[in-house]
Amino acid sequence: MGCKQSVFNGHSEKLFVKRHLGPGVQVSPLDLGGKDSSKGVWDVFEVLSFHELYDANPDWMNMTQISWRERQPGDGEASLNDDLDDDDDGIDNLDEDCIEGSDGESDGYSITSSLSRRSSSARSRAKSASATRPVTAVRQVATPSDDEVRPRTLRPATAVPAKPAVRPPLTQSLFPNIPPTIHFETEGFKIEQLPWDLRKLLKWRMSPITPNIVKHTLARSHFRITKRNHDWLGCWGKHMKSQGFKSIREYQKLNHFPGSFQIGRKDRLWRNLSKLQVQNGKKEFGFFPQTFVLPSDLKLLKRAWEDGGPKQKWIVKPPASARGIGIKVINKWTQIPRKRPVIVQKYLGRPYLINDSKFDMRIYVYVSSYDPLRIYIFEDGLARFASMKYSTAMKNVNNKFMHLTNYSVNKKNSEYQSNGDEALCQGHKWGLKALWNYMKRQGVNTTQVWENIKDLVVKTIVCAESPINSMIKSNCRSRYCVHELFGFDVLLDENLKPWILEVNISPSLHSNSQLDINIKGQMIRDLMNIAGFRIPDKADVLHSNSVAPSATEFSSYYPPNDVCMDKRLFTSILAPDERAKHAYYCQRHQDEQVLQTILDVLTPDDIRVLTECIDEDSRKGSFQRVFPTPSSHRYLRYMEAPRYYNLLVSQWVQRFNRMEQKGIALLEQFCDEGINLQNPTEDQNHQWCPPNGLLSHRGDNRTHSAPNKHQDKESAMKHSQSTSSGLPKMGKKPPKAPVPHASHAHHSGTARTISQCSSASSSLVSAPSPTPSSQTVNKSAASSSR
Ligand code: ADP
């Protein structure tokens, strides 16, 4: 294993990279002030950031550990561990914590505890680093590196421009008064640096499982690592107990939702899906093989076993594992384990075969928010083939190379063939797009198959929407703080029907071929762009004990510049009329006519949520949004309880289907007036009152109960008729409202500066994201506004 250390010598930083040279390689120790007596070979780089390090040695991520003193005196020490030595999904220790009867939370570590656990070793490393005298001589030995022994991170064989294309560091919102998001790129692109004042805030918290593909993406955007609790903006790590989410601050983002084990554990997934199957029938929810959770379902299994007859095969799995570990195909009752909890599932014995081999698909699903629910599917993915031709013969049931499609299992077969080209249908791993092309040539209607997969994905996410939302609400400060990538394993049967086998909450992002790098690299780039990381307000980061601001604080808050995060946009504090509006529409969610009036008066909070959805969609790259869509309201009925934001966004996407620009123009106008930053608003055009005038005083601080449904429907209709004309009433420009707070006026002014600046000088703005609607602000624009 290798490690890196760096020394802050007052003027510049030196980073020492020690490479692991493999057993038996003779190396010389480097004297680091007597502190390091281990053997190794060291390269020294003068570095300022990940990015420069990356430029100096693009393979630096393959080193195992980094520890360094950052340039600013007093800054914390950071450490980075390398990728796991595997290419399969993470297990996330869900099984240790999620036993039946417990609250089922996954085992992990809280940010606080994990840092404190590591802090003593971090401190001692920091001490040794600072005690080190500056090194002037560097000894380098030309020996094979890790990469030569076992290629883990590959450089693209495909055309990478000699001089990488340069991209601006920020992506501008489509709307005024909404700060930009940090821009991410793939290999072959370089991102301009922000001014140091902003760049120093780009900090990431490393976890031992952060994949290289994520690290590379961060490096290109000039992120640096931190071990401190309060100054990181993002983390890609293990799942953790839901309590741990409480320590995530409003400007930080973790790549998991509390409670996502509700779909990430096989037993929970089955329980949640089967509940909806009972309610809605097998036609809608018949895409999951019948499953029994043992020991509790043993009697039910016995009955189904007998009904299935002697030819039925079953598959036994641990309830919360991955990589094919502990999985067995069985056909004898005596093979059922009795001593450990397992799930026993009907084996799908007639899969769709290609070249006589079984395969499954890895579909990448990204949920950026659970409320409102926003689900994206990546257009590309992987098809993973079993490495032995398929047979239904009973004598082969024990052959894992025939029945399991996991890479971890099949790589052990000497027949396994890798594939480096995502466009080619060769070897045992194909790109999903290559698979579709192949199947199209076989006459398969792949569009229909893809539609069915999307349907399965939305239903699967929806099945645990309720418990996950409860956990988010009780443990997270804001919807900004959590997001998650899921790896769906989908099998096609001989009739091309997709079946969900499992959902991984830590899908493998390890990349040991060019195919992996290309597909996963683009996917992560797009995911990070959708996620919409923001530069934090420096004042928040400095106050290491900051607490969520109260409503009064929000009304007097304004960010120091127009590039850093505006906390008001993510507040969960609602004005009284907004609370009443939520209650009103949730109670009448089944009445389509009443629902259509939800857009008649848009409150500041409505505008915040809608602009966030639209902005996010414009950054989606090669992801497809599958919820919300103009037809996704059909899924709302599967949710345990109606959620206001889903109703709102659903109406919006239906109303402005095929005329998105009209909707954007309208919201642009409201944001230009600063309505989205008000809480509460004094603009009567954006204060909601129920159709029958139950809230007698606009802006009244009391929340009123909603009227009964019958009475209310009529008045809602009247209200709608009187306020809308064809298109929603909000299509008309409302009278200019007085700006209620000096702070808003100020902010509004600076936001105009940035947009004027960007549009005035088109050379400062480019559109790096694949969607034309998304613009990017470069550092000049950013700094000019400060
Ligand atoms: P793991 O999390 O360990 O990967 P999976 O549920 O994904 O467990 O199963 C591993 C592999 O076993 C799948 O990739 C698939 O090839 C095969 N498999 C799993 N369940 C079934 C099933 N019900 N019918 C047919 N094959 C299955």
Side-chain angles (χ1 to χ4, degrees):
M1 306 301 276
C3 74
K4 301 170 191 175
Q5 285 189 4
S6 71
V7 182
F8 176 68
N9 66 10
H11 302 289
S12 67
E13 182 183 48
K14 282 194 167 62
L15 186 109
F16 303 93
V17 178
K18 185 167 68 174
R19 289 182 176 162
H20 170 57
L21 299 170
V25 179
Q26 196 55 47
V27 292
S28 323
L30 181 77
D31 175 19
L32 281 175
K35 298 286 175 195
D36 187 290
S37 60
S38 65
K39 295 193 168 194
V41 173
W42 295 79
D43 295 337
V44 177
F45 298 96
E46 296 259 350
V47 292
L48 301 177
S49 70
F50 273 0
H51 196 274
E52 282 138 321
L53 176 57
Y54 184 78
D55 282 349
N57 178 6
D59 285 331
W60 74 278
M61 291 290 189
N62 289 332
M63 315 300 173
T64 303
Q65 229 186 357
I66 180 169
S67 61
W68 63 3
R69 286 283 313 268
E70 297 182 325
R71 293 199 324 140
Q72 296 301 298
D75 270 7
E77 194 210 27
S79 151
L80 164 73
N81 293 316
D82 204 2
D83 253 358
L84 288 176
D85 182 15
D86 206 336
D87 181 68
D88 224 323
D89 304 313
I91 299 175
D92 263 337
N93 297 334
L94 287 180
D95 46 349
E96 289 169 28
D97 196 39
C98 303
I99 41 169
E100 282 296 319
S102 77
D103 69 355
E105 287 163 14
S106 71
D107 188 26
Y109 50 84
S110 77
I111 285 163
T112 329
S113 64
S114 106
L115 285 175
S116 62
R117 235 181 286 147
R118 293 166 180 208
S119 62
S120 61
S121 64
R123 266 196 301 278
S124 66
R125 275 201 307 275
K127 223 170 149 189
S128 100
S130 53
T132 305
R133 63 176 188 263
V135 174
T136 47
V138 183
R139 259 176 279 173
Q140 290 196 25
V141 178
T143 44
S145 70
D146 262 8
D147 296 343
E148 288 161 86
V149 177
R150 181 173 53 83
R152 284 193 294 177
T153 301
L154 306 181
R155 312 301 300 162
T158 45
V160 172
K163 262 203 157 188
V166 180
R167 293 287 187 240
L170 299 172
T171 303
Q172 191 182 343
S173 165
L174 297 173
F175 306 96
N177 274 325
I178 297 183
T181 54
I182 297 165
H183 183 66
F184 296 92
E185 267 304 343
T186 49
E187 207 152 26
F189 290 92
K190 197 168 177 160
I191 296 182
E192 265 187 86
Q193 291 199 345
L194 284 162
W196 172 243
D197 226 30
L198 297 174
R199 189 162 34 106
K200 70 182 177 191
L201 297 168
L202 304 184
K203 293 204 182 158
W204 197 265
R205 180 179 178 267
M206 270 314 151
S207 142
I209 66 157
T210 307
N212 278 345
I213 213 104
V214 173
K215 292 177 199 167
H216 284 297
T217 309
L218 293 167
R220 273 177 227 115
S221 291
H222 312 287
F223 270 85
R224 297 172 309 136
I225 48 177
T226 179
K227 287 210 81 176
R228 292 174 166 215
N229 252 353
H230 61 275
D231 60 355
W232 54 272
L233 308 190
C235 176
W236 192 280
K238 273 189 175 182
H239 207 285
M240 60 182 187
K241 285 180 190 291
S242 53
Q243 285 288 323
F245 287 81
K246 289 199 161 117
S247 60
I248 304 176
R249 290 149 184 262
E250 59 270 19
Y251 52 86
Q252 299 179 323
K253 239 182 217 300
L254 186 77
N255 66 319
H256 294 289
F257 291 105
S260 55
F261 62 85
Q262 290 283 356
I263 51 173
R265 278 185 60 115
K266 296 176 177 74
D267 50 355
R268 299 286 170 141
L269 177 67
W270 162 249
R271 291 263 188 254
N272 287 315
L273 278 174
S274 55
K275 206 157 105 187
L276 286 182
Q277 191 182 67
V278 169
Q279 287 163 9
N280 301 285
K282 267 201 174 161
K283 195 164 170 277
E284 290 294 320
F285 281 85
F287 51 82
F288 190 72
Q290 193 181 14
T291 303
F292 299 88
V293 181
L294 301 193
S296 56
D297 294 346
L298 193 65
K299 276 191 186 148
L300 290 173
L301 172 64
K302 181 80 181 156
R303 210 176 307 149
W305 189 285
E306 283 159 8
D307 291 350
K311 287 204 172 138
Q312 172 67 51
K313 293 190 192 87
W314 298 80
I315 186 163
V316 179
K317 309 179 187 181
S321 193
R323 307 176 198 169
I325 297 167
I327 297 194
K328 221 175 158 192
V329 182
I330 59 167
N331 62 340
K332 293 192 187 77
W333 180 254
T334 50
Q335 290 173 297
I336 293 173
R338 298 299 165 91
K339 294 208 170 107
R340 57 190 166 99
V342 288
I343 66 159
V344 181
Q345 193 172 71
K346 265 198 174 154
Y347 186 72
L348 302 168
R350 302 214 164 266
Y352 183 82
L353 302 178
I354 288 182
N355 299 330
D356 297 326
S357 297
K358 172 179 174 176
F359 66 95
D360 78 348
M361 290 172 284
R362 164 53 53 90
I363 310 287
Y364 295 106
V365 175
Y366 176 58
V367 179
S368 62
S369 157
Y370 258 92
D371 187 18
L373 184 59
R374 293 196 296 261
I375 311 172
Y376 298 84
I377 299 190
F378 193 59
E379 279 171 3
D380 213 343
L382 300 169
R384 298 159 313 177
F385 285 80
S387 51
M388 197 164 265
K389 289 192 187 307
Y390 190 73
S391 154
T392 51
M394 287 297 180
K395 63 174 197 275
N396 294 319
V397 285
N398 288 328
N399 192 333
K400 291 192 175 176
F401 299 149
M402 181 184 289
H403 292 287
L404 306 191
T405 51
N406 303 76
Y407 170 77
S408 299
V409 170
N410 285 285
K411 71 180 178 187
K412 291 177 193 142
N413 185 356
S414 56
E415 302 288 303
Y416 185 85
Q417 283 173 15
S418 54
N419 173 15
D421 191 333
E422 82 251 45
L424 293 184
C425 302
Q426 63 181 19
H428 291 106
K429 198 192 268 189
W430 297 4
L432 199 59
K433 284 185 181 164
L435 177 80
W436 297 142
N437 286 337
Y438 180 93
M439 288 172 72
K440 262 185 219 153
R441 290 197 295 272
Q442 308 294 309
V444 172
N445 180 354
T446 52
T447 313
Q448 189 53 54
V449 176
W450 186 237
E451 285 307 310
N452 294 343
I453 290 174
K454 290 201 261 186
D455 179 66
L456 164 160
V457 163
V458 176
K459 286 173 176 165
T460 303
I461 295 291
V462 163
C463 83
E465 180 269 351
S466 175
I468 294 177
N469 256 318
S470 315
M471 290 213 203
I472 294 171
K473 260 149 220 166
S474 41
N475 295 294
C476 299
R477 288 191 194 181
S478 114
R479 63 178 175 270
Y480 178 82
C481 302
V482 277
H483 64 144
E484 192 151 355
L485 172 71
F486 297 102
F488 277 56
D489 288 351
V490 175
L491 186 89
L492 291 180
D493 70 14
E494 60 182 358
N495 300 318
L496 294 164
K497 174 184 168 170
W499 294 78
I500 176 99
L501 297 182
E502 67 154 343
V503 176
N504 282 287
I505 58 173
S506 288
S508 164
L509 293 176
H510 305 291
S511 304
N512 58 5
S513 70
Q514 198 56 51
L515 178 145
D516 280 334
I517 292 173
N518 291 353
I519 293 176
K520 296 175 186 179
Q522 283 181 36
M523 190 268 296
I524 284 298
R525 183 265 322 260
D526 291 343
L527 181 155
M528 302 281 267
N529 282 328
I530 298 174
F533 285 89
R534 275 141 174 108
I535 297 169
D537 182 338
K538 202 162 101 191
D540 289 334
V541 179
L542 291 178
H543 293 119
S544 55
N545 54 352
S546 89
V547 287
S550 67
T552 28
E553 280 171 306
F554 263 119
S555 62
S556 60
Y557 172 83
Y558 63 92
N561 56 46
D562 56 359
V563 286
C564 85
M565 181 172 189
D566 190 328
K567 287 184 280 185
R568 292 170 294 183
L569 294 171
F570 296 97
T571 178
S572 50
I573 300 164
L574 297 177
D577 65 309
E578 291 174 330
R579 283 204 301 274
K581 189 179 179 195
H582 285 213
Y584 180 87
Y585 285 100
C586 284
Q587 282 173 19
R588 292 157 189 80
H589 69 102
Q590 281 168 327
D591 193 324
E592 192 46 41
Q593 282 182 316
V594 172
L595 269 188
Q596 283 173 9
T597 67
I598 200 170
L599 300 177
D600 285 356
V601 173
L602 290 183
T603 69
D605 185 58
D606 292 342
I607 298 168
R608 289 193 283 271
V609 167
L610 291 171
T611 49
E612 188 182 302
C613 292
I614 296 168
D615 256 342
E616 191 181 273
D617 191 62
S618 75
R619 302 189 299 262
K620 68 179 182 283
S622 295
F623 274 92
Q624 297 176 4
R625 195 167 76 184
V626 289
F627 192 99
T629 67
S631 61
S632 65
H633 52 279
R634 68 182 189 275
Y635 297 107
L636 295 176
R637 67 174 186 274
Y638 303 133
M639 295 188 183
E640 224 168 274
R643 283 180 210 285
Y644 173 80
Y645 291 138
N646 288 338
L647 302 176
L648 175 81
V649 176
S650 169
Q651 283 300 320
W652 182 272
V653 292
Q654 288 175 69
R655 183 85 57 96
F656 289 98
N657 183 18
R658 294 180 211 283
M659 47 179 194
E660 288 95 346
Q661 287 310 320
K662 218 167 187 163
I664 291 172
L666 188 71
L667 293 170
E668 212 176 334
Q669 181 192 314
F670 296 155
C671 291
D672 201 32
E673 289 161 9
I675 307 289
N676 59 327
L677 299 172
Q678 297 170 11
N679 187 5
T681 180
E682 287 165 18
D683 184 338
Q684 296 206 344
N685 286 299
H686 297 280
Q687 290 172 353
W688 186 82
C689 69
N692 62 357
L694 260 190
L695 273 181
S696 49
H697 304 290
R698 291 195 154 168
D700 187 347
N701 269 350
R702 288 162 296 160
T703 308
H704 298 261
S705 63
N708 79 52
K709 194 173 166 180
H710 181 67
Q711 209 187 15
D712 198 46
K713 188 172 159 184
E714 250 175 45
S715 39
M717 289 307 97
K718 276 190 206 143
H719 176 73
S720 171
Q721 280 155 16
S722 64
T723 53
S724 60
S725 53
L727 263 183
K729 164 211 163 216
M730 52 193 190
K732 297 182 217 151
K733 185 172 166 43
K736 190 102 180 156
V739 180
H741 302 291
S743 58
H744 296 153
H746 171 91
H747 187 262
S748 204
T750 50
R752 285 201 177 92
T753 314
I754 194 168
S755 53
Q756 279 163 3
C757 172
S758 319
S759 53
S761 168
S762 56
S763 66
L764 299 181
V765 179
S766 69
S769 93
T771 44
S773 47
S774 151
Q775 292 174 301
T776 304
V777 185
N778 82 350
K779 67 172 180 187
S780 325
S783 51
S784 71
S785 62
R786 284 181 304 120

